[in-house]
Amino acid sequence: MLAEIGFVDIQTSRPYDTFGEARGEKKARLFGVFGYTFLARKPDIT
């Protein structure tokens, strides 16, 4: 999706736990839900 709108050099982090001690933690564990960080840049248009 990021590439489709013009971003380049796209990087995705390793999965990390975003639900530790949250109300939905049990359901997140059940469904294998994790958070990811995305890093990308949009090239200059000159």
Side-chain angles (χ1 to χ4, degrees), residues 12-18 32-37:
T12 305
S13 73
R14 291 182 167 172
Y16 59 92
D17 179 14
T18 57
V33 175
F34 293 95
Y36 295 85
T37 300

Side-chain angles (χ1 to χ4, degrees), residues 17-20 22-34:
D17 179 14
T18 57
F19 287 95
R23 269 189 356 198
E25 181 177 9
K26 289 182 183 179
K27 289 185 180 179
R29 301 275 180 263
L30 181 64
F31 292 102
V33 175
F34 293 95

Side-chain angles (χ1 to χ4, degrees), residues 1-13 37-43:
M1 183 184 333
L2 291 172
E4 289 175 6
I5 58 173
F7 284 93
V8 296
D9 299 331
I10 301 166
Q11 299 176 26
T12 305
S13 73
T37 300
F38 296 94
L39 177 65
R41 69 178 182 85
K42 199 150 190 179

